Amino acid sequence: MTRTRSRYAPDRGLTTRMVTTMFLIGLLYVVLVGVLLAVLRGAWPIILIIAGGMFIAQFWFSDRIAAFSMGAREVTPEQAPELHGAIDRICALADMPKPRVAISQSDVPNAFATGRSERTALVCATTGLLRRLEPEELEGVLAHEMSHVAHRDVAVMTIASFLGVLAGIITRVALWGGLSRSSRSNDPIGIAIMLIPLVSAVVYALSFLLTRLLSRYRELSADRTAALLTGRPSALASALTKVSGQMARIPTEDLRKAEPYNAFYFVPAFSSKESLSRLLSSHPTLEQRLDQLARISADLARP
């Protein structure tokens, strides 16, 4: 994983986790395709073509699909001077190229970044976020999102999510095929096809847990590096508190629409309080994030 040349503080823990996650995801991918090739030997060219084609499509187009799905619309400096000005200041601090800038017409206060690299990066803020935050708070949030771009963990999350998507598709196809062969229980191919959903389900579950573990750490890493870059951890803490508090006032229907994209957002649409839900959450708790920022603030205040 090549480290970007920016002034964002490097995070070896994040780099190690990204490499480990990609290795394990790749291993799961090889196992899944290997099982399919062993079970459906005569169809191996089709399996390889479909799997390779889906991987390429996911890598090249998933960021655009995600941005479109979340309603991101690119804006010019004339259309959004405050937002562009804040990102310009962060880019100058970080010594990194300016990403594309977008706004999403949503009252849910949030922000996200997409892109495979700095060259293709896009940073988006919702109208709900822009309306609620003070300039220093907004810069803290945008610095957090730019950290994801600088550390390239957005690209890793995009690629890592592919296996879960593939496993889900294979499960549905295999279930359909298994049902069509239900009357031939002694058919070896029919039995094998019935086993594919089980293998796919296990692969999907492992992939889901791996991406969730990485996602929680990368959010803490982005908070930390953004606070160090701007030198104002209190502004980021204020933004976190304000955005999390405002979520309770957003209609549940709007939050449900945003929930599928939680892994990309600055703050999840729904926060998890139960221990099991926390294990499956895409973000650390608000308390964990505020505690970390409080420690950074105390460190920066020391002579």
Side-chain angles (χ1 to χ4, degrees), residues 4-260:
T4 53
R5 296 180 180 178
S6 74
R7 295 195 183 112
Y8 274 100
D11 191 324
R12 293 182 179 178
L14 177 62
T15 301
T16 300
R17 284 167 173 79
M18 288 194 295
V19 172
T20 303
T21 298
M22 290 303 296
F23 172 77
L24 293 175
I25 289 289
L27 183 61
L28 286 174
Y29 179 75
V30 170
V31 170
L32 179 59
V33 173
V35 169
L36 291 176
L37 292 176
V39 171
L40 305 174
R41 297 177 183 176
W44 68 266
I46 297 176
I47 293 173
L48 293 179
I49 290 173
I50 292 176
M54 289 184 64
F55 182 83
I56 293 172
Q58 177 77 5
F59 181 78
W60 284 103
F61 301 113
S62 58
D63 56 338
R64 303 178 199 178
I65 294 171
F68 176 79
S69 301
M70 290 183 277
R73 180 179 60 84
E74 286 192 53
V75 291
T76 64
E78 292 73 26
Q79 293 172 318
E82 295 84 3
L83 180 58
H84 271 271
I87 290 180
D88 284 337
R89 288 189 291 274
I90 294 166
C91 288
L93 276 175
D95 189 25
M96 61 187 293
K98 184 177 180 178
R100 292 174 294 148
V101 180
I103 290 178
S104 174
Q105 296 293 327
S106 171
D107 193 46
V108 179
N110 235 317
F112 63 89
T114 65
R116 303 182 309 277
S117 64
E118 290 182 354
R119 185 176 58 84
T120 62
L122 177 143
V123 174
C124 179
T126 65
T127 51
L129 185 80
L130 297 174
R131 186 170 63 255
R132 290 175 171 89
L133 297 189
E134 298 298 324
E136 285 191 355
E137 295 170 338
L138 178 61
E139 283 192 21
V141 173
L142 296 175
H144 169 104
E145 297 304 328
M146 291 285 288
S147 172
H148 289 315
V149 175
H151 289 144
R152 297 185 180 177
D153 53 85
V154 167
V156 172
M157 286 297 294
T158 298
I159 297 172
S161 66
F162 165 74
L163 187 59
V165 174
L166 179 62
I169 292 173
I170 290 173
T171 299
R172 287 193 292 270
V173 171
L175 281 172
W176 179 82
L179 290 173
S180 66
R181 291 174 173 265
S182 58
S183 61
R184 290 179 286 174
S185 57
N186 293 328
D187 183 359
I189 296 180
I191 295 173
I193 290 177
M194 291 297 290
L195 292 176
I196 291 176
L198 297 177
V199 176
S200 298
V202 171
V203 170
Y204 176 79
L206 292 175
S207 173
F208 181 86
L209 289 175
L210 286 172
T211 54
R212 284 299 183 268
L213 290 171
L214 174 61
S215 180
R216 288 197 294 276
Y217 185 90
R218 82 187 190 107
E219 293 300 329
L220 287 173
S221 175
D223 284 347
R224 180 169 55 253
T225 54
L228 293 173
L229 179 73
T230 61
R232 293 193 298 268
S234 59
L236 182 55
S238 176
L240 271 169
T241 304
K242 186 178 292 186
V243 170
S244 298
Q246 289 291 317
M247 285 295 182
R249 302 182 182 182
I250 303 299
T252 302
E253 182 180 354
D254 294 339
L255 294 178
R256 289 294 181 195
K257 291 179 181 178
E259 190 176 19

